[in-house]
Amino acid sequence: MIIETARLTDLPRLLRFRSDAAKWLAALGTDQWSAPFPADHIAASVQAGEVFLIRASEESEPAATVTLDHTTDPELWDLWTPEERAEPALYVHKLTVDRQHGGCGLGGRILDWAGDRAARQGARWLRLDAWTTNTQLHKYYVQQGFEHLRTTTDPDEVSGWIAQRPALRVPHGFDDRTLPCRSRGQ
């Protein structure tokens, strides 16, 4: 499989990943991602070179997407302690696998790629947050080597389950065609 940096022309597909995932999650009984994500936020991440697409081949439709950047979403910044925020880390956002490619380990490979990329950039941690009530997702991330740090008790925070795992250089099996890694602070 190929992993590449998304372009603005990919925005409609990125938005469809989100809406398709919301429908699937609703069928599982969770309201995660039920509110549409603002297209301008995704476009800004694309322009920053933080959004990636995974394809089976150059000609195929994207099978998955992930956003990987140096900061968590601003509204979640206070979930991390000042000491944690000072540590070099990359943050996983919006990891979505098309249901046609679900159940074959693609999400885990994407997380391995993200951890490898984080390590190559000098980060100590690969971090993420998850929907607070999505316990199946929490179990999945723990199975992928993430350590649950804490869950906020703030009832207004829907994505307050936070976890991290060490950033490690590992084989992930992707043909990595992404733009060069940027170090923290660049």
Side-chain angles (χ1 to χ4, degrees):
M1 295 196 100
I2 299 165
I3 189 161
E4 60 191 13
T5 307
R7 298 178 304 266
L8 281 177
T9 55
D10 297 312
L11 189 58
R13 180 61 182 114
L14 294 167
L15 293 169
R16 196 167 75 244
F17 267 119
R18 180 74 174 221
S19 62
D20 290 351
K23 290 175 192 167
W24 176 69
L25 289 165
L28 296 176
T30 179
D31 65 346
Q32 181 171 342
W33 289 0
S34 58
F37 201 78
D40 61 327
H41 289 222
I42 295 175
S45 293
V46 169
Q47 289 177 312
E50 300 167 342
V51 182
F52 306 94
L53 291 171
I54 297 83
R55 299 175 190 274
S57 68
E58 288 182 26
E59 298 80 29
S60 64
E61 283 292 311
T65 183
V66 65
T67 299
L68 188 63
D69 60 30
H70 291 96
T71 59
T72 189
D73 292 328
E75 64 271 10
L76 302 175
W77 193 240
D78 63 339
L79 295 177
W80 301 93
T81 68
E83 295 79 18
E84 289 165 342
R85 291 191 302 255
E87 295 174 317
L90 286 186
Y91 294 81
V92 174
H93 308 278
K94 303 172 194 73
L95 172 59
T96 313
V97 175
D98 187 281
R99 296 318 321 144
Q100 293 180 22
H101 299 273
C104 63
L106 183 55
R109 286 179 59 203
I110 294 168
L111 290 169
D112 287 345
W113 171 83
D116 182 76
R117 187 173 181 90
R120 289 173 189 272
Q121 291 185 27
R124 181 174 178 202
W125 301 106
L126 182 64
R127 292 181 171 153
L128 51 78
D129 60 84
W131 206 257
T132 304
T133 58
N134 192 338
T135 57
Q136 288 301 109
L137 186 57
H138 305 164
K139 288 177 190 173
Y140 173 78
Y141 284 133
V142 169
Q143 290 170 348
Q144 297 302 316
F146 284 84
E147 177 187 355
H148 172 239
L149 298 177
R150 66 191 148 276
T151 303
T152 183
T153 56
D154 181 349
D156 295 326
E157 183 52 69
V158 296
S159 195
W161 185 92
I162 62 170
Q164 65 184 15
R165 75 179 198 190
L168 300 172
R169 291 181 71 165
V170 296
H172 45 72
F174 289 120
D175 177 0
D176 190 343
R177 299 182 184 180
T178 61
L179 298 175
C181 299
R182 290 182 298 188
S183 297
R184 187 175 190 204
Q186 284 186 325

